[in-house]
Amino acid sequence: MKSNRFRWPLAAALAGCALGLLPHAVLGEAVENTTSQEDPAAHYAKGEVKYGEVWMSLAELFQNCRQVHVEMEKLLEESKKAQSALDDLNRQISTLRGENDNSKRPVRTDMAKAVADRRKAEAALRAQAPTEPRYEREPLQPSRIQYSSDSYRDAMDDWRSEVRRIREQNAALKQEYGKRLAEYQKAKAEANSVIQAAQAKVAEYQQQLAEIDKQLEDAHAPVLAKRLQMNDEIQSLGRQARALLVRAQAMEQAMREAPETVLFRGRIVEWDGKFYLLDELRLLCAETQGEIDRVRDQLREDARLAGRSFPDDWRHPQQDKIDALKALIERAEKEAAAAQ
């Protein structure tokens, strides 16, 4: 159907809201102040239906119910706008957090490098110092009394040669040890220097990150406050919508419990779970039938152009429903005419 002129909002559209109740008289239904003791038939004859514990005009109840639905539509639109605004705020927050991450990323990269340098230097500090080598001892000088004159000279030559070899070897070991010790001490000093520099850098980067987070917090504050306010507004709209929905359902149930003939005499008809004025329903039926006819004519034309036959008994899937609506309208018109 093209027209939704008389379409009322569905309860399902509001079912997701967090809801409460409005005062019962927010729309000011005019009702009798006391419960009548008359027979219901007498009230029905006057065009009245029972709403809650009181009898009231069917026409007035219908109009009040319509007004409640109008208010529900307004609340639904307001809720949609509020939800859209909330979505915008959430996107702003997401953007701010993304910008915050982008700002922190290079700082974190530099800080990670400084931390890695510090750990490498700390590992160097834990390295063991070079161990001093074990020097070979020089042999004792040969005793003259143990050798003959010629043998003694040979022994002394051997001894001097061995002492020279040992001294050269020990000197080389000492020199190598001194070199390695110097390198160790230099590396240790450099490691201490790297650690101090890295610690200073890490502290600086931490300060930069804290400043970036403070900027985010300052930018976040008004947006978060608006989001909280918008959440409260959405919940309030939801409570109002549920209150109106409960009232609308109670009004509709009151009309639904009245005899159908009472509704027809008041030119009110229930169709497909909704209540319409008879003239509105007649127009809705005509529009729907017109749309069905257009579909049938278009299909017949498409078949003709394609060289196919079009079945004479073709029926639109909604035709049975519209036929039932026509029959309902006819009954209502007869009842309404008889009441005049």
Side-chain angles (χ1 to χ4, degrees), residues 43-61:
H43 288 285
Y44 292 145
K46 293 188 294 183
E48 295 177 344
V49 295
K50 192 172 186 181
Y51 175 45
E53 297 300 322
V54 298
W55 292 89
M56 66 181 297
S57 164
L58 170 63
E60 185 176 1
L61 180 62

Side-chain angles (χ1 to χ4, degrees), residues 225-243:
K226 289 180 182 178
R227 185 171 70 171
L228 179 62
Q229 178 183 356
M230 195 58 60
N231 274 322
D232 290 342
E233 180 177 344
I234 290 173
Q235 292 178 8
S236 175
L237 290 170
R239 287 190 293 271
Q240 295 176 58
R242 174 54 62 85

Side-chain angles (χ1 to χ4, degrees), residues 78-94:
E78 291 180 22
S79 180
K80 288 180 179 178
K81 292 178 181 178
Q83 185 61 53
S84 177
L86 179 62
D87 292 341
D88 288 340
L89 292 172
N90 286 330
R91 281 191 290 270
Q92 290 182 39
I93 291 173
S94 179

Side-chain angles (χ1 to χ4, degrees), residues 1-7 280 283-284 287-288 291:
M1 288 176 225
K2 287 185 177 180
S3 173
N4 60 0
R5 186 180 311 171
F6 309 114
R7 189 170 298 161
E280 295 171 348
L283 178 59
L284 179 62
E287 290 178 347
T288 306
E291 182 63 24

Side-chain angles (χ1 to χ4, degrees), residues 128-165:
Q128 294 292 326
T131 303
E132 187 172 2
R134 297 180 61 181
Y135 301 111
E136 190 174 350
R137 297 180 62 182
E138 297 178 4
L140 297 175
Q141 183 177 342
S143 174
R144 181 182 292 273
I145 60 175
Q146 295 177 341
Y147 299 93
S148 63
S149 177
D150 292 338
S151 297
Y152 177 70
R153 282 195 299 270
D154 293 338
M156 284 298 294
D157 290 341
D158 292 340
W159 174 79
R160 291 188 186 97
S161 177
E162 181 64 13
V163 168
R164 184 166 54 252
R165 184 193 65 79

Side-chain angles (χ1 to χ4, degrees), residues 23-31 51 56 60 64 67-68 247 251:
H24 176 75
V26 67
L27 294 180
E29 297 105 303
V31 297
Y51 175 45
M56 66 181 297
E60 185 176 1
N64 286 347
Q67 184 60 31
V68 169
R247 293 189 61 212
M251 293 176 180

Side-chain angles (χ1 to χ4, degrees), residues 260 264 324-337:
E260 190 179 57
F264 289 167
L325 175 58
K326 290 176 182 178
L328 177 64
I329 292 174
E330 183 178 355
R331 288 195 295 111
E333 287 176 335
K334 287 181 181 179
E335 190 69 36

